Amino acid sequence: MSEAESGRQQAATAAASAVEGAAAAVTGDAAAIELRGAGLSYGDRVLWENLDLRVAPGEFLAVLGPNGSGKTSLLRVLLGLQPLTTGTALVAGHRVRTGSRHIGYIPQQKAFRAGSPLRARDLVGLGLDGHRWGIRLRGRAFRQRVDELLEVVGASAYADVPVGMLSGGEQQRLRAAQALATDPRVLLCDEPLLSLDLHHQQAVSALIDRQRRRSDTAVVFVTHEINPIIDYVDRVLYLAGGQFRIGTPEEVMTTDVLSDMYGTRVRVIRNEGRLVVVGLPDATTHEHGQHEGDED
């Protein structure tokens, strides 16, 4: 698959649909995301069940847990790519479906080929028309919107640079711009900080937070490492061992709660606003998270 086709596929899955129907506005106290009695199993293996969750417009929800706990699978459910075993899932008041323009999606960081001819602005443009096949008529309004998105994520300086020549952090900024192209009500982020240095982790995290504050976008942020986003997080959904806990970081990220979920002694250490989790069974800590890979 070519770089352009890969970007087109991501854009179509995350933020576009050729057959999008009229959408009801999310107003008042309506949820941007709602799960009712949701459960997901693979055979006899239960990832989670009886999950009731409402994510409000503008809320920042961090999803944490060990490998194989169902974090990425939760995003796949919301993207309409994975059916629930039980219960229902709604986005912007509608049952989930593939290609919803209500949803923006930032995937895990994956480098482009060094020789890719795809420019930064081309990648961002796929967020606007990547779901369409055939010849595209890109006029002034299209170019203006792409320029606006590049400016929002701080990527105007390398708009015409081939993506393969950009750093991982610069590429993630472009993926964020692509995800924001349709001004989504929900932004799903799948380990978007992986492989980024601290500077770019902070930059990408701040960019996502600005978007949710400016547009009242609900953010669901899957991560192994809460510290780069801890200042932005409203609530945590922690998945482990077929169980879940929902609450503020202060309520969920405690020695007692995590010890109960893992069935073994786990220590949560707080130091100058940072969290370190010690004693997790899979040796994964939230100070030094590891790549989840093919989770399920």
Side-chain angles (χ1 to χ4, degrees):
M1 180 181 295
S2 70
E3 301 288 359
E5 289 171 336
S6 177
R8 184 181 300 115
Q9 184 181 63
Q10 175 194 328
T13 299
S17 172
V19 292
E20 181 69 21
V26 176
T27 58
D29 60 355
I33 295 171
E34 185 168 6
L35 298 174
R36 303 172 183 166
L40 186 62
S41 303
Y42 293 100
D44 295 331
R45 180 183 171 217
V46 178
L47 295 181
W48 28 269
E49 59 184 351
N50 299 320
L51 174 58
D52 294 318
L53 174 68
R54 288 171 58 90
V55 181
E59 183 175 3
F60 197 123
L61 177 75
V63 183
L64 299 167
N67 294 344
S69 59
K71 302 187 300 297
T72 293
S73 292
L74 174 62
L75 297 189
R76 287 178 54 80
V77 166
L78 297 175
L79 287 167
L81 301 175
Q82 172 67 53
L84 288 168
T85 306
T86 59
T88 58
L90 305 175
V91 172
H94 297 266
R95 288 184 180 271
V96 296
R97 54 185 262 179
T98 57
S100 172
R101 294 179 69 86
H102 294 309
I103 297 175
Y105 172 59
I106 304 177
Q108 296 180 8
Q109 198 277 333
K110 183 178 180 181
F112 289 89
R113 290 185 300 105
S116 171
L118 196 70
R119 299 172 303 169
R121 66 168 61 254
D122 299 328
L123 180 63
V124 173
L126 290 175
L128 294 170
D129 65 4
H131 60 290
R132 299 173 185 164
W133 296 95
I135 298 175
R136 294 171 177 78
L137 300 177
R138 295 176 167 180
R140 179 183 301 176
F142 178 92
R143 293 191 296 271
Q144 182 177 353
R145 177 59 176 156
V146 169
D147 287 340
E148 290 173 353
L149 290 164
L150 288 165
E151 184 175 358
V152 164
V153 301
S156 299
Y158 46 88
D160 295 305
V161 177
V163 292
M165 297 178 61
L166 301 175
S167 70
E170 290 168 337
Q171 291 178 9
Q172 280 302 79
R173 284 175 178 260
L174 297 177
R175 290 186 175 96
Q178 186 185 76
L180 300 177
T182 58
D183 197 20
R185 295 176 182 174
V186 173
L187 185 60
L188 305 179
C189 308
D190 189 7
E191 299 272 15
L193 307 183
L194 278 177
S195 305
L196 302 185
D197 59 28
L198 181 60
H199 170 72
H200 284 108
Q201 286 183 5
Q202 293 172 338
V204 171
S205 298
L207 167 63
I208 292 170
D209 184 62
R210 285 197 301 273
Q211 167 64 20
R212 66 111 174 193
R213 292 180 183 277
R214 178 175 58 246
S215 301
D216 214 23
T217 305
V219 175
V220 179
F221 196 106
V222 167
T223 182
H224 273 88
E225 162 64 288
I226 193 174
N227 287 309
I229 60 172
I230 196 166
D231 291 337
Y232 311 130
V233 172
D234 296 308
R235 288 192 297 163
V236 169
L237 168 61
Y238 201 105
L239 304 171
Q243 305 178 66
F244 64 86
R245 297 290 188 278
I246 304 172
T248 66
E250 293 75 19
E251 293 169 338
V252 175
M253 303 299 293
T254 70
T255 293
D256 289 343
V257 168
L258 295 191
S259 294
D260 180 62
M261 293 189 74
Y262 283 100
T264 188
R265 180 66 174 174
V266 174
R267 291 183 60 204
V268 178
I269 302 170
R270 299 176 183 272
N271 181 31
E272 297 182 352
R274 295 179 65 83
L275 297 176
V276 182
V277 183
V278 181
L280 293 181
D282 66 354
T284 300
T285 76
H286 295 287
E287 174 66 21
H288 300 288
Q290 299 175 359
H291 193 299
E292 186 157 352
D294 295 328
E295 177 185 50
D296 300 315

